[in-house]
Amino acid sequence: MLEAAMELIAERGYRRTSLAAVAERAGLTQQGLLHHFPTKDLLLVGVLETRDRWDLASAAAAAGTRHTDTLAQLVDYNATRPGLVRTYTVLAADSVTEDHPAREFFETRFRVVRAAMAEVLRTECGDTLPGGLTPERAAPLLAAVMDGLQLQWLLDPEAVEMPAAFRDFLALLGCGQGRGDEGAEGLGEGPGEGRTGGAAEEPGEGPGDGPGEG
């Protein structure tokens, strides 16, 4: 059900996706869908929360600790699921518009992400990065690179090798192992071959099937 909603939002955007269309794609009656999600806004929140749960599960499976190489492995994993990354990118962009139902979700999410990124960088590099930035000043840049690379990769996957480009940025920060760590592998729990950019089947029933930052 939520996977069907993700697919339609990625294809049409949130505002042009109807509950009737989601129900049809999911093989449900509209009443059956409304039993689980009485409003379209609640369905949207369900989609976003599910995506984040998959992200958290995949990151935990990667290492169980907060380091920049764990973030790099998450980028590897995202490169195997373009449909879910597309849904996130569309919704994040739409959320800046007035009265969008996902705006509060993304405002809160980015605050949490920036704090988590700062913690990752402090764990890896201490209170000052090699370039002189504090973890708090570098964290928004790290989040922006992750999301910006996703957009460029979605538009031109042949030209933008997202996992390698993210490791290049880590090398510029001076933290982690950067692109030179050719032995870094993708997530063992994910549905792909790690650092490749090819498409794979999207997760179906939850974290076990294979999640921001996308």
Side-chain angles (χ1 to χ4, degrees):
M1 180 192 318
L2 289 173
E3 185 178 2
M6 290 178 190
E7 291 172 355
L8 283 169
I9 290 170
E11 293 168 11
R12 306 178 184 182
Y14 169 74
R15 298 193 186 278
R16 292 190 296 159
T17 297
S18 67
L19 289 174
V22 173
E24 181 180 1
R25 178 72 66 93
L28 299 170
T29 65
Q30 190 164 345
Q31 280 301 114
L33 178 63
L34 291 172
H35 175 74
H36 297 282
F37 299 100
T39 69
K40 186 177 169 183
D41 288 359
L42 288 174
L43 176 63
L44 175 62
V45 172
V47 166
L48 292 168
E49 289 177 346
T50 297
R51 179 198 178 275
D52 274 358
R53 281 198 300 272
W54 288 341
D55 272 356
L56 290 171
S58 63
T65 56
R66 294 190 170 191
H67 294 290
T68 53
D69 59 338
T70 305
L71 297 177
Q73 289 176 324
L74 183 57
V75 174
D76 294 342
Y77 182 34
N78 281 338
T80 72
R81 50 179 200 163
L84 202 57
V85 171
R86 187 178 302 111
T87 302
Y88 167 84
T89 302
V90 168
L91 287 172
D94 281 352
S95 73
V96 304
T97 59
E98 188 176 357
D99 297 327
H100 193 282
R103 181 163 188 136
E104 184 178 355
F105 174 91
F106 278 105
E107 287 176 349
T108 301
R109 185 181 191 279
F110 277 114
R111 282 195 293 269
V112 171
V113 165
R114 288 192 296 269
M117 296 291 186
E119 181 181 342
V120 167
L121 293 171
R122 179 165 281 105
T123 298
E124 193 89 5
C125 299
D127 290 334
T128 305
L129 277 64
L133 293 177
T134 64
E136 285 72 24
R137 289 183 62 188
L141 304 179
L142 185 56
V145 166
M146 292 184 80
D147 280 6
L149 282 173
Q150 287 184 160
L151 176 60
Q152 294 181 64
W153 172 71
L154 288 168
L155 290 170
D156 195 354
E158 296 301 318
V160 178
E161 187 183 351
M162 183 166 64
F166 183 69
R167 286 176 167 80
D168 285 343
F169 181 71
L170 292 181
L172 289 175
L173 285 179
C175 291
Q177 299 174 14
R179 189 170 185 172
D181 181 16
E182 296 298 332
E185 298 177 355
L187 299 183
E189 299 297 319
E193 295 302 321
R195 294 180 59 183
T196 62
E201 291 184 3
E202 296 299 328
E205 298 301 323
D209 298 299
E213 180 89 33

